[in-house]
Amino acid sequence: MNMDLPRVSAPTTPQLEIDTHLPLSSLIICSRNRSSLLSETIGSILNGLEVPDEIIVVDQSDTPDEGLVVLTTERRCKIRYQWIKPLGLSHARNTGIKAAKNDWLVFTDDDVLVTPDWFGMLLRALVAESRRAVVTGRVLAKHERHNQGFAPSTKEDENPAIYEGRVGQDVLYSNNMAFRKSAVAEIGDFDERLGPGTRFPSAEDNDLGFRLLEAGYRIVYVPQAVLYHRAWRTDHDFLALRWSYGIGRGGFYAKHMHWHDRYMLKRMVQDIRNHLIQFVSRLRRDRLRAYGDVGLAGGIVYGVVYWLLTQHRTRT
């Protein structure tokens, strides 16, 4: 499969679209200061076998992307571009949800490349489920030719799975997921205190997934819906990113931690313990990753304390 896409986002000639009577859907992409990566992400979507009714780009870049403002395509897909002030990824996703014209919502990020059948696989799996279901897919790392970077979030399991109730782990991947708009109408939007661009810069998808499961939804993992998370980050970014991930995860744990229900406390303790064990096992063979485990564990502790000191009066 050739994943090296041109800078131009839209195909120059119409492509075959499979008539599968899929419902009208909205695909939401949020971005900030990644114009080139975003353009290639859109290009890979528009080069797919099937496309959404609309692509909503919510851009929090320093300046508007003039190319995307006027971008059109010959596919049966409208590209809607919205530039907003940078208030965090959760705010951008909520903006996209409110702007969506359709009930069937698909999400991805601005630094992925999708396979040709990704969109159809993901949406078709959601259609096959009940209304109280969310679908997520496989996320593989895509290494760039010019560097040996890393992709911070991947899911490589080839086995399908259905998650219900308290599964003890985070199973929803927000750069590869789909649900109906009625889901957020029931459980609430993305928590705008969590996620990149906030004081707790991760775990907004963990929070959404946990609230969905607590509300009785099931999360369906469909490994056939594959996309590639581009490994554009370098080792120089690794430790800072792990610390940030830890802070967001700590905020997530603290938000759902209650004295009468020790479930989230036990998850937090196990998470910290696992990363400290990994630190010991990795120290001799990969010091950078080992220090990353310590940074993430420390970030969790910091995030819990910081949340309890600053957010306890506004706990949802």
Side-chain angles (χ1 to χ4, degrees), residues 2 38 148 151 192 200 210 265:
N2 181 15
L38 172 61
Q148 298 296 319
E192 297 189 5
F200 301 91
F210 177 71
L265 175 62

Side-chain angles (χ1 to χ4, degrees), residues 3-4 7 16 18 28 54 63 69 74 90 96 152 173 184 186 210 213 222 226 229 234 240 297 314:
M3 301 298 295
D4 297 320
R7 176 66 177 86
L16 175 65
I18 301 173
I28 298 169
E54 62 177 5
T63 58
V69 171
E74 296 180 9
S90 291
Y173 288 76
V184 292
E186 178 180 347
F210 177 71
L213 290 172
V222 182
V226 182
H229 194 175
T234 67
T314 56

